[in-house]
Amino acid sequence: MENNIALQFVNISKSFGSKIANKNVSLDLRKGEILAILGENGSGKTTLMNAAIGIYYPDEGQIFVNGEEASIHSPKDAYNYHIGMIHQHFKLVDVFTAKENVILGLSKEDYKKQEEATKAKQDLKLQKIREEEGREPTKEELKKYNKRIKDSKSYNLEEAKRKIIKICKKYGFEVDPDKKVYEMSVSEKQTLEIIKALYKGVDILILDEPTAVLTPQETKKLFNVLRNMASQGKSIIIITHKLNEVLEISDRVSVLRKGEYAGTVVTKDTNEKELTELMVGRKIELNIKRPAVKNPHDRLFIEGLTYTNREGVKALDDVSFVARGGEILGIAGIACNGQRELLEGIAGLVHLDSGDIVFHNPKKNRPVTFFHHNVKQIRELAEKGALYDDDTKETLNLKGVSTKKIKEMVQKEKIMFYEDEIIDLRNKKPIEIRNLGIKLSFVPEDRLGMGLVGNMNIIDNMMLRSFRKGHSIFLNRKKPKYLAEEIVDELEVVTPNLKTPVRNLSGGNIQKLLVGREISSSPKVLMVAYPVRGLDIKSSYTIYDLLNEQKERGTAVVFVGEDLDVLLALSDRILVLSGGKVAGIVDARKTTKEEIGLLMTKSIEKQEVSYNVSQEDEEE
Amino acid sequence: MLAKKMKKNDIKRDPFIHLTRLPDPKARHYWFSKLISVVIALLICALITNAMAPGSFGDFFKYLGLGTFSSSLQTLRVFQDTAILLLIALALTPAFKMKFWNIGAEGQVLIGALGATIAMKFLAGTMPNALLIFVCLALSILFSIIWAVIPAIFKAFFNTNETLFTLMMNYLASGLVAYFVFVWVPNGSAVLGVINPNTHDGWLPKLFGQDYLINIITVVIITVLIFVYLKYSKHGYELTVVGESQNTARYVGINVKKTIIRTLILSGAVCGLVGFLLVNGTSHTLNADLVSGRGFTGILVAWLGHFNPFEMIFTAFLVAFVTLGGSYAGDIFRFGTAYSKVLIGIFFFVFIASEFFLRYKMNFSTEVQAFFKKIGDFFAKIFGPIGRFFKKIFTPVGRFFKKIFAPVGRFFKKLFKKKDSPKEEPVSKEE
């Protein structure tokens, strides 16, 4: 029995402070199989794997490799046991070529091993010549033999290239060993990481959420390669929280739940429902609601946004679209294709090169309130002739009217707008946008680095947006406290108390606080970036419900997501960004995943072509 | 079978030591660890002293006490030094909370002292004494603000490194002071004597006949003010956000540049106050060595106090106590002036180490654990009976107190609960 098992975890426990990451987890990986480890974020998948490759040392428990107990204190030890891991964030040197990256960090022993292996192989060849052909090897052959051994003895790029090509052929990879890493796409980088591991002789390969950064097409390619590897005897662990992928690729699935082992099932005999139940621990509804769009109206006009970042790269290139109130506009794209810059540009956090952001405030025939304007602004508007008196239906003239009178009129809702208010937001700072009375809420991608302050408690974080209110030089913590209580209550935020620093909470609870705060100001435009990243299933559905609630309220919701299934199920229209350009805007009710996948890679392919041309130019 | 295998291999595969992060300590654990640190640091100091001068283990404690609390004058001196150190630490705290590493307190205080001296030296006799003191204060604060705000402006607009910049400003300040003293003292001795020794113009008045009392009162007020400023004012909130993440600050529309400059103005103003107190209240003269490194010690005081003004009182007092007591003991043992600095070093070392033990748990390998257990058993044998004896005595005492105070506690709890009934007004979704 033990011969069949490549890697075995026995009663692994690991905790960080009061946080328990793994508790008595036992599971095993058979030789030549693809085992999926499924679990929600924070269920301890990555920690468990990090124990296998020596990044963490488990507090309790053992790890067996090929039936023998292993003591793994560092990734180097792990390589000695032929275990390798591909992390979510690649560990490659950008300015080096593929082959240089592969042989980077090989130690003396590695070279010695390599030399021995080569020698054995060449000996075999010579022996073959002697026995089968019945002759002594020629001088050239002997020379070649010596050269190969010499090459494998130390740092040698030729030898590396040869071996890389061999690996590529064996498993069906496509990588150019001479290509620099910074010229590679994400998928190529990932392939290179796998080759790097195989080069070091890895038999057990662990992949941490490998498909998070890939398009559907690239994912398919990766899965093909993984199947090839498994069929040739490599054992593969793939960590993921995407159910459909698990069903597609794996032989067996082991499920972790809140750091504990929840069970293992054979993929053939299971379905999404059962897996979810194992993962969450109870039955759960898996359908995302999408209420029909009711009287949509254009709210935010984006026209020709262009932004060049500090590195001189055009992060946004002529982006135009309209966000409508009462609708969810999904934004799809491979990570770092301009999503962040787009939202930050609209929110006034980055200085745009050109383009217009125009906000339409639906004010036609509606009264002026102090909610958006102060007396001074009302006077200015009246001077422009934009207001009329509700009683007389005549254009309002406020010259010589006392402030007190104006206040009275506003309170009685007598001052009305003629037309919708049109406000130019381009290159306005966040505070200016707020002072204009525009309720633009933004849930940034970086929750603790931008949306919230990790070291502050919940109450203090609630007043980040509103602490300036009032003339007192002191803070008023009363309202934020009520807001915090309300959000904690309604969104079921799990926290010891309101004075807990936000960083001590789990990702889902942090996100609920952030979204709750941003929604609490009843925004006209709500922009959310990756709102469910790192969240468990239940929290994710809470967030989707909140977005739908805002949509029904008439808010223009802009939703940047990474999971295409969710984007397709939740949004009304989907804008696909590719290389900072709008690759297309499609109706989410009619499109398919494949179509979006193609759009996502549209301009990248073009870029690659243009790069190839320039390389040829250089050669000439 | 597997279990057997585990046991056998356990010892071999354990790393000698591996660390586990502990949850944040409770307040009482924290303060208990501080107390233990003081005791341990004192013991180490005494042992080192004993090694240098055999038989002086007990004398060390004696002289430490004699050097600090044997007379009312000495006691006041301890508090005066505490006050100055604390004030400098308080000046640095807002900047540090903003993650602006201002290490230029030394220069900022010195340049403030220069301002006070100029006013005291050249304006004496031209105006009433009260006004003169006020002008001294104003000038010293102005000078210090300028000194602090220059690096702030460069940081805000050009993102220069504030640490190097403020350090450089220290040297400029001490150079300037040395230059002015040289110019003012024509005889070439470069020692500026006591200013206005006869008229006492510009000298701070003695409160209740005590020299330093006014400093101590000032520092009490400033401590409370800074605490309130950091915790309850909008400015304090803004600077904390800027310190934690400039991205967040931009996201919520805080003007980062303005905040940096405003905070350093405050920082400089408090430094100016220190300069004023040193010149007008204490030494009544000026030399380049007036601050004598306290601008740097203040950094440590602020850090060890975790930027909490009230905790900083404790650290500042400790530093002042050890410095004065240590130098007294050092004088008697004839160890030289560096002796008290060695003691301070030991104290800081133990304190920082205590933070480590408070936040990490060390897991030793099975072998080492067995060894520790042996030692533990040994001590348990000795101290166990004593512990049990004390428990026997104190448990009834504790119960007695509980009986008395529990109703009082319940009464207060009731009182306060009534005060803030949570349901006042539901938060309006609007605004």
Side-chain angles (χ1 to χ4, degrees):
Chain A
M1 175 209 131
E2 285 202 348
N3 283 337
N4 195 20
I5 288 175
L7 181 66
Q8 188 181 20
F9 297 90
V10 180
N11 293 332
I12 298 284
S13 294
K14 173 82 193 169
S15 58
F16 302 98
S18 57
K19 199 178 153 197
I20 294 164
N22 286 137
K23 197 177 164 193
N24 279 334
V25 178
S26 306
L27 47 89
D28 48 59
L29 170 72
R30 290 179 197 154
K31 279 180 187 161
E33 79 163 347
I34 300 178
L35 175 75
I37 294 192
L38 186 67
E40 299 192 287
N41 289 78
S43 60
K45 294 167 292 184
T46 307
T47 310
L48 185 67
M49 290 307 125
N50 278 339
I53 63 151
I55 287 179
Y56 297 136
Y57 189 82
D59 295 343
E60 279 166 39
Q62 288 82 29
I63 296 167
F64 294 85
V65 180
N66 293 327
E68 294 207 8
E69 177 159 15
S71 139
I72 304 169
H73 294 169
S74 70
K76 211 180 152 191
D77 288 351
Y79 273 122
N80 289 340
Y81 287 107
H82 304 289
I83 305 172
M85 180 158 169
I86 314 297
H87 295 268
Q88 265 169 312
H89 304 282
F90 304 136
K91 288 159 172 60
L92 297 167
V93 183
D94 265 357
V95 292
F96 281 7
T97 59
K99 58 186 181 190
E100 281 167 341
N101 263 295
V102 165
I103 57 169
L104 195 70
L106 288 187
S107 63
K108 247 183 195 168
E109 292 107 64
D110 289 330
Y111 282 118
K112 217 174 223 168
K113 265 186 217 159
Q114 196 174 312
E115 188 193 347
E116 275 163 19
T118 320
K119 204 171 176 184
K121 226 182 249 169
Q122 298 293 334
D123 278 344
L124 210 73
K125 262 189 198 168
L126 292 181
Q127 208 181 350
K128 220 174 171 184
I129 290 173
R130 283 193 191 107
E131 282 175 6
E132 287 179 11
E133 298 179 21
R135 64 177 171 93
E136 275 298 298
T138 59
K139 235 181 194 174
E140 276 90 51
E141 274 166 345
L142 273 176
K143 208 173 162 189
K144 202 175 151 194
Y145 160 86
N146 282 329
K147 188 171 183 300
R148 286 301 284 274
I149 291 174
K150 206 181 142 202
D151 280 356
S152 64
K153 226 186 212 164
S154 61
Y155 179 83
N156 188 304
L157 288 173
E158 279 308 302
E159 172 72 12
K161 195 174 169 180
R162 258 199 300 270
K163 267 185 102 173
I164 290 171
I165 292 170
K166 217 169 166 184
I167 291 171
C168 285
K169 263 187 201 155
K170 195 170 170 191
Y171 300 108
F173 292 111
E174 287 167 25
V175 148
D176 176 4
D178 293 317
K179 202 172 179 180
K180 291 252 165 76
V181 169
Y182 63 82
E183 291 166 345
M184 291 185 173
S185 70
V186 181
S187 148
E188 278 177 291
K189 281 183 196 170
Q190 192 179 52
T191 315
L192 180 58
E193 280 276 17
I194 298 173
I195 290 172
K196 206 168 114 186
L198 291 173
Y199 190 96
K200 290 187 180 172
V202 160
D203 288 326
I204 300 165
L205 189 67
I206 303 166
L207 297 116
D208 191 1
E209 308 227 356
T211 59
V213 288
L214 302 181
T215 62
Q217 286 82 359
E218 287 168 336
T219 304
K220 244 173 218 168
K221 225 164 139 192
L222 174 72
F223 283 178
N224 279 335
V225 173
L226 291 184
R227 275 190 208 104
N228 273 339
M229 283 164 62
S231 67
Q232 299 197 30
K234 306 268 179 204
S235 314
I236 295 165
I237 292 181
I238 172 166
I239 303 176
T240 182
H241 59 255
K242 291 181 184 169
L243 293 169
N244 49 354
E245 286 173 1
V246 169
L247 292 171
E248 192 186 333
I249 181 82
S250 67
D251 299 316
R252 290 188 311 146
V253 192
S254 289
V255 184
L256 293 185
R257 186 199 312 147
K258 286 179 186 156
E260 291 183 53
Y261 175 68
T264 300
V265 285
V266 177
T267 312
K268 278 188 299 205
D269 312 331
T270 188
N271 54 34
E272 281 198 23
K273 223 173 181 179
E274 190 190 352
L275 286 177
T276 322
E277 269 181 51
L278 265 178
M279 215 158 112
V280 186
R282 67 193 133 70
K283 284 187 183 167
I284 197 160
E285 198 63 39
L286 267 185
N287 294 320
I288 300 174
K289 276 178 274 174
R290 174 161 53 191
V293 181
K294 274 179 261 166
N295 48 31
H297 40 271
D298 296 352
R299 181 57 66 63
L300 195 63
F301 290 80
I302 309 293
E303 195 61 50
L305 282 199
T306 304
Y307 169 65
T308 316
N309 65 13
R310 256 187 223 156
E311 282 86 42
V313 179
K314 262 194 183 177
L316 290 178
D317 193 355
D318 198 21
V319 173
S320 308
F321 65 90
V322 180
R324 299 193 185 120
E327 188 190 79
I328 295 181
L329 175 70
I331 294 186
I334 303 169
C336 297
N337 265 280
Q339 294 98 320
R340 212 188 74 214
E341 287 81 0
L342 177 62
L343 296 197
E344 289 188 0
I346 296 172
L349 291 171
V350 296
H351 195 89
L352 299 162
D353 301 345
S354 62
D356 285 316
I357 306 164
V358 180
F359 178 78
H360 275 222
N361 213 0
K363 281 285 169 189
K364 197 171 178 177
N365 297 332
R366 284 197 201 174
V368 175
T369 58
F370 279 129
F371 205 53
H372 286 118
H373 301 94
N374 56 33
V375 175
K376 200 179 152 201
Q377 285 166 332
I378 293 172
R379 278 181 198 275
E380 277 168 17
L381 282 169
E383 256 174 56
K384 284 183 205 153
L387 306 174
Y388 69 91
D389 193 327
D390 197 28
D391 294 336
T392 57
K393 307 284 178 204
E394 277 172 14
T395 307
L396 199 65
N397 187 3
L398 287 178
K399 256 179 201 150
V401 180
S402 71
T403 308
K404 204 179 161 191
K405 184 85 194 298
I406 295 175
K407 277 186 180 167
E408 216 170 86
M409 285 174 83
V410 169
Q411 255 148 30
K412 284 182 187 162
E413 305 196 337
K414 293 291 177 206
I415 304 176
M416 308 290 269
F417 282 102
Y418 272 127
E419 288 293 332
D420 281 353
E421 220 182 342
I422 292 173
I423 306 164
D424 184 12
L425 296 188
R426 195 192 145 199
N427 285 341
K428 289 239 169 22
K429 294 225 168 69
I431 185 82
E432 291 170 318
I433 295 176
R434 247 184 143 61
N435 289 342
L436 281 169
I438 295 159
K439 288 209 214 116
L440 185 128
S441 285
F442 175 30
V443 177
E445 175 183 349
D446 190 358
R447 284 164 214 163
L448 288 184
M450 187 180 253
L452 300 167
V453 179
N455 282 331
M456 282 187 175
N457 64 34
I458 296 178
I459 299 174
D460 282 10
N461 267 300
M462 283 305 117
M463 61 185 182
L464 262 175
R465 284 281 204 188
S466 59
F467 74 95
R468 271 187 219 86
K469 237 165 250 162
H471 296 293
S472 160
I473 60 161
F474 292 110
L475 297 163
N476 181 0
R477 284 194 167 87
K478 227 176 195 170
K479 272 194 178 172
K481 194 179 162 215
Y482 291 137
L483 178 62
E485 279 169 359
E486 203 181 75
I487 290 174
V488 167
D489 226 38
E490 272 181 22
L491 303 185
E492 295 171 8
V493 178
V494 181
T495 167
N497 55 49
L498 296 179
K499 296 259 155 119
T500 313
V502 170
R503 79 186 135 82
N504 288 352
L505 304 181
S506 74
N509 289 319
I510 290 173
Q511 186 70 336
K512 281 179 191 168
L513 288 175
L514 178 54
V515 174
R517 188 192 71 205
E518 289 302 301
I519 287 175
S520 71
S521 65
S522 52
K524 290 277 186 306
V525 178
L526 173 65
M527 301 190 292
V528 286
Y530 308 112
V532 297
R533 184 182 279 174
L535 264 58
D536 59 46
I537 291 183
K538 203 177 161 227
S539 311
S540 301
Y541 277 77
T542 314
I543 301 287
Y544 300 146
D545 286 345
L546 286 173
L547 294 182
N548 273 328
E549 206 178 275
Q550 289 302 308
K551 168 182 163 182
E552 287 182 316
R553 257 194 66 245
T555 309
V557 181
V558 179
F559 168 69
V560 176
E562 47 196 342
D563 192 335
L564 288 183
D565 294 312
V566 173
L567 273 169
L568 281 168
L570 186 69
S571 21
D572 300 297
R573 287 182 302 146
I574 296 178
L575 180 149
V576 186
L577 276 179
S578 174
K581 284 185 186 151
V582 177
I585 300 179
V586 290
D587 186 342
R589 288 181 174 81
K590 286 172 190 155
T591 187
T592 61
K593 217 166 140 183
E594 279 64 37
E595 190 189 353
I596 294 176
L598 281 176
L599 284 172
M600 274 160 78
T601 47
K602 201 164 136 191
S603 73
I604 291 173
E605 277 158 19
K606 263 187 220 155
Q607 273 177 359
E608 268 175 5
V609 172
S610 67
Y611 158 72
N612 285 340
V613 170
S614 68
Q615 201 182 33
E616 276 167 26
D617 286 349
E618 275 168 29
E619 278 168 12
E620 279 170 25
Chain B
M1 191 204 112
L2 209 60
K4 236 181 196 172
K5 208 169 177 181
M6 276 180 229
K7 273 265 159 68
K8 216 172 84 192
N9 288 337
D10 247 346
I11 294 164
K12 190 186 79 194
R13 62 181 204 100
D14 272 19
F16 179 73
I17 185 170
H18 87 269
L19 300 174
T20 327
R21 186 98 163 79
L22 287 171
D24 288 346
K26 282 180 191 151
R28 64 195 152 98
H29 292 166
Y30 178 77
W31 284 105
F32 184 68
S33 84
K34 288 280 164 274
L35 189 75
I36 296 273
S37 311
V38 172
V39 174
I40 291 177
L42 277 174
L43 280 177
I44 295 176
C45 290
L47 282 175
I48 288 177
T49 312
N50 195 42
M52 279 155 56
S56 62
F57 189 85
D59 285 351
F60 168 74
F61 292 104
K62 193 173 115 196
Y63 292 134
L64 208 59
L66 277 180
T68 45
F69 290 115
S70 63
S71 71
S72 67
L73 191 73
Q74 274 172 324
T75 311
L76 214 56
R77 179 84 199 284
V78 173
F79 284 116
Q80 143 78 1
D81 274 21
T82 309
I84 296 295
L85 268 177
L86 181 57
L87 216 52
I88 292 173
L90 284 171
L92 293 170
T93 303
F96 280 179
K97 268 223 142 166
M98 203 177 58
K99 306 241 158 78
F100 183 102
W101 304 120
N102 175 14
I103 57 167
E106 187 93 3
Q108 284 151 24
V109 172
L110 200 57
I111 213 77
L114 178 67
T117 312
I118 289 172
M120 205 163 145
K121 194 168 160 63
F122 296 102
L123 298 177
T126 60
M127 54 182 80
N129 199 19
L131 186 62
L132 178 65
I133 288 175
F134 181 74
V135 170
C136 283
L137 176 64
L139 209 61
S140 67
I141 287 181
L142 179 74
F143 271 43
S144 289
I145 286 178
I146 292 171
W147 224 244
V149 120
I150 294 171
I153 289 171
F154 274 80
K155 169 83 177 176
F157 289 95
F158 309 109
N159 199 23
T160 52
N161 182 314
E162 74 275 11
T163 317
L164 290 176
F165 208 127
T166 47
L167 188 64
M168 180 182 82
M169 298 295 275
N170 284 344
Y171 293 108
L172 281 184
S174 80
L176 265 181
V177 167
Y179 171 77
F180 276 112
V181 170
F182 181 76
V183 171
W184 288 337
V185 184
N187 65 11
S189 71
V191 175
L192 187 68
V194 172
I195 306 164
N196 308 336
N198 302 323
T199 57
H200 288 202
D201 273 350
W203 289 31
L204 281 179
K206 288 184 180 181
L207 275 188
F208 309 114
Q210 299 290 359
D211 247 340
Y212 302 131
L213 210 55
I214 202 158
N215 297 3
I216 295 164
I217 292 169
T218 316
V219 79
V220 169
I221 297 168
I222 298 285
T223 310
V224 175
L225 283 183
I226 293 278
F227 180 78
V228 171
Y229 181 81
L230 287 175
K231 189 137 193 219
Y232 296 108
S233 80
K234 287 179 183 171
H235 287 181
Y237 184 75
E238 281 188 355
L239 74 87
T240 315
V241 174
V242 169
E244 292 289 342
S245 156
Q246 295 211 358
N247 265 336
T248 310
R250 285 191 306 126
Y251 164 77
V252 296
I254 293 170
N255 189 336
V256 175
K257 289 178 180 131
K258 199 171 123 191
T259 310
I260 290 179
I261 291 170
R262 189 180 61 208
T263 307
L264 263 285
I265 286 177
L266 174 74
S267 201
V270 181
C271 279
L273 183 64
V274 180
F276 164 78
L277 287 179
L278 282 177
V279 170
N280 295 49
T282 320
S283 66
H284 312 297
T285 182
L286 179 69
N287 58 63
D289 204 29
L290 181 72
V291 196
S292 64
R294 281 177 284 191
F296 294 110
T297 316
I299 298 171
L300 279 168
V301 169
W303 261 103
L304 287 181
H306 295 98
F307 308 139
N308 177 345
F310 291 119
E311 201 181 329
M312 272 150 48
I313 297 176
F314 166 72
T315 38
F317 170 76
L318 199 74
V319 172
F321 172 78
V322 176
T323 313
L324 284 175
S327 55
Y328 183 82
D331 278 350
I332 290 183
F333 294 134
R334 295 175 189 279
F335 285 161
T337 49
Y339 176 66
S340 69
K341 286 181 183 161
V342 171
L343 297 193
I344 290 282
I346 291 168
F347 264 83
F348 281 147
F349 187 82
V350 175
F351 263 68
I352 294 165
S354 82
E355 299 274 315
F356 173 81
F357 288 112
L358 211 55
R359 285 184 166 76
Y360 290 95
K361 187 185 161 200
M362 295 196 292
N363 303 297
F364 290 99
S365 68
T366 333
E367 263 179 326
V368 182
Q369 269 177 27
F371 177 67
F372 280 157
K373 197 166 179 291
K374 253 185 208 161
I375 297 176
D377 286 346
F378 175 68
F379 276 105
K381 230 180 216 167
I382 301 176
F383 290 111
I386 303 177
R388 274 196 290 281
F389 174 67
F390 274 105
K391 206 175 165 189
K392 227 179 204 168
I393 298 178
F394 283 110
T395 326
V397 180
R399 264 195 221 120
F400 174 68
F401 275 104
K402 206 174 164 188
K403 229 178 201 169
I404 299 178
F405 286 110
V408 183
R410 271 199 293 277
F411 172 71
F412 274 105
K413 216 173 175 182
K414 246 184 200 167
L415 207 72
F416 283 110
K417 239 189 187 164
K418 258 182 196 167
K419 236 177 166 180
D420 63 52
S421 53
K423 270 179 193 143
E424 257 185 50
E425 46 166 317
V427 190
S428 56
K429 272 252 170 182
E430 307 284 325
E431 208 75 346

